[in-house]
Amino acid sequence: MKSWRTRIGVGLAVCTAAVAVPLTATTASAAPPPGDGWVPVGADQYPSKGECEAKELPNAQANGYHEVWCDDSKAIMPIFYR
C-alpha cells in the first residue's frame, strides 16, 4: 500500500499537468490570411513565402482565383487562394 505522502505527491503532479497542458497548448490551425474571402486549399513545404506564392499562383489561376497567400509561420506552409 502506498503512503499518503506518495499519493498526495502524485495527485498534485497530475493536477498540475491537467492545468498546465490546456494553458500552454497552441491551436493547430494556421494564422488567418489578411482580409476576407480566402479559401484554404492545402499546405506544402517551400523554402520561402515568395517561392510558395509564385509556384502556387498558376494553380490558383487555373481554378478561378487571382491571389495566393502562404503562411510562412510554419515549416509546411498552409496555402490560401482568393
Side-chain angles (χ1 to χ4, degrees), residues 50-64:
E51 186 172 334
C52 173
E53 292 174 349
K55 287 189 175 179
E56 288 294 327
L57 186 58
N59 294 333
Q61 292 171 336
N63 289 298

Side-chain angles (χ1 to χ4, degrees), residues 2-16:
K2 294 185 180 193
S3 70
W4 282 104
R5 186 175 175 188
T6 302
R7 290 180 186 186
I8 290 172
V10 170
L12 287 174
V14 169
C15 289
T16 302

Side-chain angles (χ1 to χ4, degrees), residues 13-39:
V14 169
C15 289
T16 302
V19 170
V21 169
L23 293 177
T24 59
T26 59
T27 60
S29 63
D36 294 329
W38 291 95
V39 177

